[in-house]
Amino acid sequence: MRKDNTEHKALFTIPTTAHGTTLANTKPLPEQRKITGHKQTDAYLWVLEVIRLNEPAHLDAAEAALEKIKISPKEAGERYSSYLLANGADPFQVAFGTIGMDNPARAIEAARENIKKAASVRAQFGSYETAFDDVEAERVIKSSTKFIDDYLWGWTTEELEAGHIGGGRMTEIDDQRRAYVDGYRDVLPEPHTLSDVVREFVYWDWLYLMRHTAGMELGYEYGYSEHHESVYDREHHLEKLLTAIKPTSRAEAQGVCRWVLENERLNDLGEVTNTIILNLVGECDQ
């Protein structure tokens, strides 16, 4: 029976935590501002702002402050909506600006979840900044002679002069680049089993979530928008392996099948998704 690739497993196993989670600094409280001019509404808006800081030192006090505010979440939302409309906001801006105002309990729950996520980043990387340092797998990819770090790779002289290309050409270049780098198989260990493939997918997803949380804590507008293109080229290779590597057992086939069905990205690949499932079903039916 085929076994997992131990070299691959060592590179793509999520590491155990190695750092403490104590925060070096406490986020300062936001300034209390006169926004709508209605004292209770402005107080409610301020408490929500404190909750959304995701700051452990302030959260319990903010929750207690909510209980002292006399205005209801619904009324506060209505008053704030009226204020925004009266000051030139369009309906979309009003809807976006009042998201979550009617459910402070959910805001508190989300804050506690975000605090836990932030603590897990510190436990893994020591700081939010170091979460963006290359991990070993990224360093290995960059060691490849095929590594591409040029966003404009494959563009013609005419396209470079024009400064843009059409969607069809972008797809064509993506296919050319992926064929060239070949999943960086020249430097990365190849999965031997479907379990290896899933492990690597899970690793890249975990790294993205760690960096997104770190980015949000550092105040980046979009947290962490995306991995380097090379990671997605590697994942494209992994998708093909899901259609080709046969399950080692019925249990592996069932486990991978459940994972694929729960994975939103893999459920949106059309014929590729169908081929992955068909590759697994043969073993499940035995």
Side-chain angles (χ1 to χ4, degrees), residues 59-123:
L59 190 57
D60 288 343
E63 188 171 11
L66 273 177
E67 298 178 0
K68 298 178 182 179
I69 293 177
K70 298 177 181 178
I71 194 172
S72 70
K74 181 180 179 180
E75 184 183 351
E78 291 172 348
R79 284 183 174 273
Y80 188 47
S81 294
S82 298
Y83 162 79
L84 292 173
L85 286 170
N87 284 271
D90 60 44
F92 176 79
Q93 291 172 315
V94 172
F96 185 78
T98 56
I99 288 176
M101 281 192 67
D102 61 341
N103 194 349
R106 178 66 190 105
I108 292 170
E109 180 184 351
R112 296 199 188 283
E113 292 172 358
N114 290 333
I115 287 169
K116 288 180 180 178
K117 291 177 183 178
S120 68
V121 173
R122 299 193 301 276

Side-chain angles (χ1 to χ4, degrees), residues 248-263:
T248 59
S249 66
R250 181 184 178 88
E252 183 186 54
Q254 291 176 330
V256 173
C257 191
R258 283 192 296 270
W259 174 79
V260 169
L261 293 175
E262 293 170 358
N263 189 297

Side-chain angles (χ1 to χ4, degrees), residues 14-286:
I14 295 172
T16 56
T17 57
H19 304 277
T21 61
T22 302
L23 285 164
N25 300 297
T26 299
K27 297 174 188 175
L29 287 169
E31 179 185 356
Q32 296 188 42
R33 297 170 294 150
K34 182 179 179 180
I35 300 175
T36 67
H38 183 264
K39 190 173 182 179
Q40 285 289 307
T41 300
D42 289 348
Y44 184 75
L45 289 169
W46 181 78
V47 172
L48 286 182
E49 191 176 356
V50 173
I51 291 170
R52 290 166 181 162
L53 282 175
N54 302 325
E55 171 54 57
H58 302 324
L59 190 57
D60 288 343
E63 188 171 11
L66 273 177
E67 298 178 0
K68 298 178 182 179
I69 293 177
K70 298 177 181 178
I71 194 172
S72 70
K74 181 180 179 180
E75 184 183 351
E78 291 172 348
R79 284 183 174 273
Y80 188 47
S81 294
S82 298
Y83 162 79
L84 292 173
L85 286 170
N87 284 271
D90 60 44
F92 176 79
Q93 291 172 315
V94 172
F96 185 78
T98 56
I99 288 176
M101 281 192 67
D102 61 341
N103 194 349
R106 178 66 190 105
I108 292 170
E109 180 184 351
R112 296 199 188 283
E113 292 172 358
N114 290 333
I115 287 169
K116 288 180 180 178
K117 291 177 183 178
S120 68
V121 173
R122 299 193 301 276
Q124 287 284 355
F125 297 98
S127 71
Y128 302 130
E129 290 81 3
T130 54
F132 294 93
D133 293 344
D134 284 347
V135 295
E136 180 61 21
E138 290 171 313
R139 290 192 288 270
V140 172
I141 288 175
K142 290 182 178 180
S143 73
S144 171
T145 57
K146 296 181 177 183
F147 176 67
I148 295 173
D149 196 26
D150 181 6
Y151 176 76
L152 303 179
W153 184 89
W155 288 38
T156 64
T157 301
E158 292 76 14
E159 289 167 341
L160 289 171
E161 290 176 352
H164 65 85
I165 59 176
R169 270 289 291 151
M170 181 66 77
T171 299
E172 179 183 339
I173 290 173
D174 283 346
D175 290 341
Q176 292 172 350
R177 187 188 64 252
R178 287 166 179 168
Y180 173 73
V181 302
D182 192 24
Y184 293 101
R185 297 170 63 200
D186 58 324
V187 289
L188 287 174
E190 188 76 350
H192 289 177
T193 65
L194 289 171
S195 296
D196 283 341
V197 177
V198 171
R199 180 186 305 109
E200 185 172 344
F201 267 118
V202 169
Y203 180 86
W204 291 122
D205 286 346
W206 165 82
L207 185 60
Y208 172 84
L209 290 172
M210 289 287 104
R211 287 175 172 170
H212 181 69
T213 296
M216 296 301 291
E217 290 297 315
L218 291 171
Y220 298 171
E221 184 176 2
Y222 300 109
Y224 178 63
S225 57
E226 58 185 357
H227 285 308
H228 187 274
E229 207 165 45
S230 58
V231 173
Y232 298 116
D233 289 343
R234 172 65 176 181
E235 290 189 324
H236 180 74
H237 173 62
L238 296 176
E239 290 167 7
K240 292 191 295 182
L241 294 183
L242 285 174
T243 71
I245 297 177
K246 297 302 179 183
T248 59
S249 66
R250 181 184 178 88
E252 183 186 54
Q254 291 176 330
V256 173
C257 191
R258 283 192 296 270
W259 174 79
V260 169
L261 293 175
E262 293 170 358
N263 189 297
E264 184 176 341
R265 174 169 171 261
L266 291 175
N267 266 293
D268 195 31
L269 296 177
E271 189 57 35
V272 174
T273 302
N274 294 337
T275 306
I276 292 171
I277 297 299
L278 288 173
N279 182 44
L280 299 170
V281 165
E283 179 63 36
C284 289
D285 284 345
Q286 291 180 14

